[in-house]
Amino acid sequence: MTKAGEREVVRAEHVNGGAGYILKEALLNQEEMGAHCRMFSKVVIPPGGELGCHEHVGETETYYILSGQGIYTDNGTELTAEAGDVFFCKDGDSHGLRNTGTEDIAFVAVILKK
């Protein structure tokens, strides 16, 4: 178990060619995630920032939006993203997320290996 504030938050610039930076906080370590989970993290994108579009091969990724507003890109199609929404990127598909709001957009991201 870890409490808020105990986990390392990593800042990454221009992820997948996106604007600005993101903050990524691993919620579980590799041992805890096991063999089939590659990532279980909270991600924060400040206003004007984005996680650039990228493809997943041999894995899937799910975003659960906790707060904020933005635009989720699903294989080139733009969709509004807001708190409570869940987005699923299938193996072989591409996606990205851009913060178009005035507050941070925060979400939980889970990558599962095939």
Side-chain angles (χ1 to χ4, degrees):
M1 184 196 96
T2 58
K3 292 196 170 274
E6 294 178 348
R7 297 175 293 270
E8 179 183 14
V9 177
V10 177
R11 179 182 169 128
E13 304 281 339
H14 307 290
V15 177
N16 299 314
Y21 66 93
I22 68 167
L23 301 173
K24 187 165 75 169
E25 176 183 357
L27 300 174
L28 295 176
N29 65 39
Q30 190 59 55
E31 181 183 348
E32 294 165 331
M33 288 187 292
H36 299 288
C37 185
R38 185 166 75 82
M39 185 175 82
F40 180 56
S41 296
K42 178 181 175 186
V43 180
V44 174
I45 306 173
E50 71 180 310
L51 198 161
C53 287
H54 58 286
E55 182 180 13
H56 285 274
V57 177
E59 62 190 20
T60 64
E61 186 169 24
T62 303
Y63 292 170
Y64 172 55
I65 310 298
L66 300 170
S67 62
Q69 296 180 340
I71 299 294
Y72 178 85
T73 303
D74 180 14
N75 290 308
T77 300
E78 293 189 341
L79 305 164
T80 301
E82 57 192 17
D85 291 347
V86 174
F87 297 97
F88 179 74
C89 182
K90 297 184 303 188
D91 182 13
D93 283 358
S94 64
H95 68 151
L97 183 60
R98 182 173 73 246
N99 185 337
T100 58
T102 57
E103 63 181 66
D104 290 348
I105 187 167
F107 60 100
V108 172
V110 178
I111 297 177
L112 298 175
K113 302 174 191 175
K114 293 296 273 189

